[in-house]
Amino acid sequence: MNFEKAAHFIWKHGRLLERRIFEYFFLGGSKENIIAALQAYQNEDGGFGNALEPDLRAPGSQPLFVEFALRTLYDCNIKAPELASKAYEFVSKHADLASGIPTIFKDSINYPRAPHWDNPLSAEPSIDRLTGLVGLLKWQGISHPWLDAAVDVCMSYMMTNKFEDAHTILTSFCLLESLPQTGQIKQLYDKLSTELLISARFLRMDAHSDEYGLSPLEFAPSPSSYCYKIFPQDVIIQHLQVLKSQQSDDGGWQIRWEPPGETAKWEWRAYVTLKNLMVLKWYGEIN
């Protein structure tokens, strides 16, 4: 793995957000610069827009973008109270505790987007999507009676439903992590990790597979991750070894899905390259 070529790829193709994150983790940059870069995507309604998630090129706020922003802070272990409070106002305004919140709003059809966002279910309210947003807001330290009620709804949903998609399970773990680790939380953790995750769609346990999916390193990007103990050590090691070998000649890593255009492709590749460098750093593969 060539760190210098990966860094060059990020400088060449990454957005300001990815460059700020790279600076923070590898060059002594500041948390404040990451927050400022994210705030540039935040709209007046508290939501996030402006193609923050590169597969949807919409300028207006979308729940998908809010989750991307909050997940970025989570990945960087950054608390941003002002930004998160505004995001909470957006989520609480658009979510219904009986049905959830859509991934993308119906007006997103007016803008370029990746083929996978043409699924009409993406615009339907979902407790699955709400669970991820609620968990990320709780992790940020947001405290509000509506959010407490939303936690209860999502917890009840998790206890009574069988998740079949690894993406949903990933966001559910985030909610569990944000709560006091009671017996109930540990019971749900075991349900997700031992009963549901291993057989879930889009879990990519085969490190050599070229298919799209979430690898164990998505769930456990560092040895201190909440989900680290789910996966055998030899599986983690194999995925790390294969990850290092998959760097392209141009310094970046490839993506496994069809983006809406060339701009999105390069943005995603820079993002994935950055995330891979962070994982390799946390596992001691980069000095």
Side-chain angles (χ1 to χ4, degrees), residues 1-10 12-13 243-244 246-254 266 269-270 272-274 276-277 280:
M1 198 280 292
N2 189 315
F3 176 81
E4 287 73 22
K5 288 183 71 174
H8 182 79
F9 187 90
I10 292 170
K12 184 175 182 179
H13 299 293
L243 182 65
K244 288 190 293 183
Q246 290 175 332
Q247 185 181 26
S248 297
D249 291 341
D250 62 8
W253 273 259
Q254 300 293 336
W266 293 110
R269 288 194 64 203
V272 169
T273 298
L274 172 64
N276 290 342
L277 289 182
L280 292 170

Side-chain angles (χ1 to χ4, degrees), residues 86 239 248 287:
K86 292 179 180 178
H239 275 270
S248 297
N287 296 325

Side-chain angles (χ1 to χ4, degrees), residues 234-250:
D234 62 326
V235 171
I236 294 291
I237 292 173
Q238 183 183 40
H239 275 270
L240 287 170
Q241 291 172 342
V242 172
L243 182 65
K244 288 190 293 183
S245 73
Q246 290 175 332
Q247 185 181 26
S248 297
D249 291 341
D250 62 8

Side-chain angles (χ1 to χ4, degrees), residues 10 70 86 182 217:
I10 292 170
L70 295 175
K86 292 179 180 178
T182 63
L217 298 177

